[in-house]
Amino acid sequence: MNRDQVLNALFGENWKAEHLEADHFYGRASVGNQEVTVIGTSEKAEVGADMALTMARVVIQTIKERAGEPIVFLLDTQGQRLRRRDELMGLNGYMAHLAKAVELARQRGHVIVSVVYGEAVSGGYISTGMMADACYALADAEIKVMNLPAMARITKIPLEQLQELAKQSPVFSPGVENYLRMGHLDAVWEGDCATQLAASISALQAKSRADIAVDSRIARGVERGGRKAAGVVIERVLGHA
C-alpha cells in the first residue's frame, strides 16, 4: 500500500495535507469526532537531519497550538540517512531531538499511534514508530532493524548460525509477525483500518484519563512467546536498584 492508498484507507476525504513531498508529509485529519495531527514518511524515505528536524517541529507545534490532539505517524522508511553530511551534522542528535519531542508530547497528554504501511527500518523507525503509545502494521508491511547478512558482518557470527537462531527466536528475525510475537506491535491491521485507528485512539485516551500505564509490550512479549526473559531481567534489575 502506498501513501495515497493508506491516507484514503484511514481518513478518506477527512485528510488535509499541509506539506506534501515525495518522501515525507504532514497535515490534519478527522478520526471519529476529533482532529488528529498526521506525520509520515513515504517511498522508503531516508530520515536525515533535515527530515528529523521537520518532524520534530510539527510535533512541537502541535503541543503548543493544539493541546491534547492525538498524533498519528504513518511510516515507510528504510532508516536513517547514511550520508557523510548528515553524520557530520550529528544525525544522532537530530534523531534524539525528534524522539524527545515525541516523549514531550506524551507527557503533555497527546496520545500517539504509529502505523507501518510500507517498510520500517532502524533509526528511522526507532525515533518515530517505536516511540508511540501503540504501534501497528499492515499485513503486507516489513519491519526490521538489520537483516541477517548485515548482522553476520557486524557481529562476525556465521550467517548459518544466525539463520538457525532466527528459527528459535523472533529477536533475530525481521518481519511483521516476529515483531508481533515480541510484543512490540499491538496488532496487525487488515480490513477496515479507519475503524481500527479510531478504536485505538479512543482506548489510549481512556487509559490516559484513568492514569493507566499504556506500555504493555513486555507483558505481550511474554504472552505471545516472543520475549520470555525481558520481564524477568527488568524485575531483577529493579529489585537491586
Side-chain angles (χ1 to χ4, degrees):
M1 189 176 286
N2 61 32
R3 178 192 64 197
D4 293 338
Q5 290 170 329
V6 76
L7 286 169
N8 183 62
L10 290 173
F11 311 117
E13 297 179 353
N14 297 319
W15 153 255
K16 182 178 180 181
E18 295 180 358
H19 185 86
L20 197 63
E21 293 195 22
D23 58 356
H24 71 284
F25 57 96
Y26 58 86
R28 308 281 302 289
S30 297
V31 176
N33 59 356
Q34 63 183 317
E35 296 292 306
V36 302
T37 296
V38 181
I39 305 170
T41 54
S42 52
E43 298 294 335
K44 294 180 172 56
E46 293 179 317
V47 180
D50 301 299
M51 190 183 296
L53 200 60
T54 295
M55 290 194 286
R57 177 178 57 78
V58 177
V59 173
I60 293 170
Q61 182 179 0
T62 301
I63 296 170
K64 288 181 174 180
E65 299 178 1
R66 300 185 290 276
E69 181 168 288
I71 298 172
V72 178
F73 282 101
L74 302 178
L75 301 168
D76 180 12
T77 169
Q78 61 181 282
Q80 69 270 29
R81 175 170 287 167
L82 303 177
R83 298 290 187 274
R84 180 181 177 84
R85 169 186 176 273
D86 293 86
E87 295 294 343
L88 288 174
M89 288 177 67
L91 177 58
N92 60 317
Y94 287 84
M95 303 293 269
H97 172 63
L98 171 56
K100 287 188 285 187
V102 175
E103 177 58 24
L104 177 62
R106 183 181 4 263
Q107 292 175 5
R108 296 291 178 86
H110 299 260
V111 300
I112 303 159
V113 176
S114 71
V115 182
V116 179
Y117 70 94
E119 187 174 83
V121 182
S122 193
Y125 183 43
I126 292 170
S127 58
T128 53
M130 285 190 172
M131 291 293 296
D133 296 311
C135 305
Y136 301 92
L138 303 188
D140 59 351
E142 178 65 34
I143 303 176
K144 57 189 176 183
V145 173
M146 185 180 292
N147 61 35
L148 293 182
M151 194 182 298
R153 290 194 298 270
I154 296 298
T155 64
K156 310 303 180 185
I157 297 173
L159 177 60
E160 295 76 14
Q161 184 177 347
L162 288 175
Q163 289 170 334
E164 287 302 313
L165 288 169
K167 295 176 183 178
Q168 303 169 30
S169 171
V171 172
F172 289 91
S173 307
V176 165
E177 288 303 319
N178 287 306
Y179 278 77
L180 184 69
R181 283 184 60 200
M182 286 189 287
H184 164 63
L185 292 174
D186 289 62
V188 177
W189 284 352
E190 296 183 84
D192 188 350
C193 296
T195 297
Q196 293 171 94
L197 176 61
S200 173
I201 291 174
S202 295
L204 289 171
Q205 290 175 324
K207 288 181 178 179
S208 179
R209 287 192 295 268
D211 198 24
I212 298 173
V214 296
D215 192 345
S216 57
R217 287 172 291 186
I218 296 298
R220 285 200 303 264
V222 173
E223 179 183 333
R224 297 170 184 172
R227 294 188 70 191
K228 298 179 181 179
V232 175
V233 172
I234 289 171
E235 289 300 323
R236 290 176 61 184
V237 170
L238 292 175
H240 290 84

